[in-house]
Amino acid sequence: MAEIETAVSDPERIGAALRLTIGRIARRLRQNHAVGDLSLSEVSVLSRLERDGASTPSALAEHERIRPQAMATTLAALEERGLVDRRPDATDGRRVVMTVTEQGSATVRHRRSESVQRLIEVLESEFSADELHAFDAVLPLLDRLAEEL
């Protein structure tokens, strides 16, 4: 019995399976619901600004775990499309702060709406009530995992 318990709760196997499964879900959502010609990094930065509020380019680069030069390119593309604004920092005029525009917020909402709707459709049509309860029960664990990574 101890062997079965060990196999079921093996962190290496669970980690590998989570990585594969979460990657597949993310790819499928991106493939089915791409908005315009935004890159994944552009969508990620736009979503972060929409969720967390104004931020400096260096803080965004740190949160997104990319080089400041790559963040500058991403922000320039978003700014060119009118999705973010660049303003002087109120406390330090040498720095700039990026904010999401109304058009940027609408883009994020539209993208979320499409992805969430696709998830809802599949959950309703392909999973039983017991399976939905199982999904619901694991969500806090997945959220905690995301916070710890």
Side-chain angles (χ1 to χ4, degrees), residues 34 37-38 43 47-48 55 67 76 79 103 109 120 137 139 143:
D37 56 348
L38 294 178
V43 169
S47 295
R48 182 174 297 280
S55 185
R67 294 175 308 149
E79 192 173 15
Q103 182 182 352
R109 284 192 305 272
I120 291 167
L139 288 175
D143 190 50

Side-chain angles (χ1 to χ4, degrees), residues 17-145:
L18 271 171
R19 174 68 181 99
L20 180 64
T21 301
I22 291 169
R24 287 179 59 215
I25 292 169
R27 274 191 307 280
R28 293 296 302 267
L29 287 171
R30 284 191 308 259
Q31 289 168 349
N32 289 326
H33 299 285
V35 174
D37 56 348
L38 294 178
S39 70
L40 295 177
S41 59
E42 290 168 346
V43 169
S44 181
V45 169
L46 196 58
S47 295
R48 182 174 297 280
L49 285 170
E50 218 273 327
R51 181 184 64 241
D52 299 341
S55 185
T56 64
S58 58
L60 288 167
E62 185 178 324
H63 288 303
E64 294 292 317
R65 297 181 181 172
I66 64 172
R67 294 175 308 149
Q69 297 86 346
M71 180 56 66
T73 301
T74 298
L75 290 171
L78 291 170
E79 192 173 15
E80 186 177 305
R81 290 182 181 96
L83 302 176
V84 298
D85 278 331
R86 178 182 310 262
R87 297 197 173 120
D89 187 328
T91 60
D92 183 351
R94 297 169 295 174
R95 295 186 331 168
V96 297
V97 175
M98 304 306 295
T99 57
V100 67
T101 64
E102 183 52 44
Q103 182 182 352
S105 290
T107 299
V108 170
R109 284 192 305 272
H110 179 71
R111 185 177 180 88
R112 271 192 206 129
S113 175
E114 286 184 342
S115 295
V116 169
Q117 190 56 45
R118 177 71 177 130
L119 285 166
I120 291 167
E121 289 168 5
V122 171
L123 287 169
E124 286 178 339
S125 67
E126 301 298 325
F127 294 91
S128 70
D130 288 341
E131 288 170 324
L132 291 174
H133 287 297
F135 274 124
D136 200 30
V138 79
L139 288 175
L141 292 174
L142 290 172
D143 190 50
R144 192 169 113 209
L145 176 62

